Amino acid sequence: MCSSFFSYRIFARWQEEAEKLIYACQTLKEWAKLNYVMKYEFAYYHYPSEMEDALYVILENHLCLLKTTA
């Protein structure tokens, strides 16, 4: 019997869904809330470094986009 636990956060599907959430933010307030949640995620759950880096870049890029449209 396999009793090893692994997190769903390692799967590409999780990253895709997180990216959709980021892109769905239409205001700086929505982005700030999601950014807070993502910082918590990164601090308390293991993410592959490539996934964490990619999500962080997408967060920052979307922030820049929101700032230019505000």
Side-chain angles (χ1 to χ4, degrees):
M1 181 165 118
C2 179
S3 62
S4 296
F5 173 79
F6 59 92
S7 174
Y8 54 84
R9 290 172 176 87
I10 65 170
F11 296 110
R13 176 70 189 256
W14 175 256
Q15 181 175 345
E16 292 167 10
E17 294 301 319
E19 289 173 9
K20 287 179 188 177
L21 285 174
I22 295 167
Y23 292 130
C25 293
Q26 299 296 312
T27 65
L28 291 170
K29 185 175 180 178
E30 290 174 353
W31 182 92
K33 287 180 182 179
L34 183 58
N35 185 52
Y36 177 81
V37 170
M38 293 306 297
K39 284 185 178 187
Y40 178 88
E41 283 281 316
F42 296 151
Y44 293 101
Y45 298 102
H46 173 73
Y47 279 78
S49 59
E50 300 84 14
M51 185 183 293
E52 183 176 340
D53 294 344
L55 289 172
Y56 185 73
V57 167
I58 293 168
L59 275 166
E60 291 302 308
N61 288 343
H62 197 65
L63 175 60
C64 291
L65 177 68
L66 290 172
K67 286 182 175 180
T68 62
T69 60

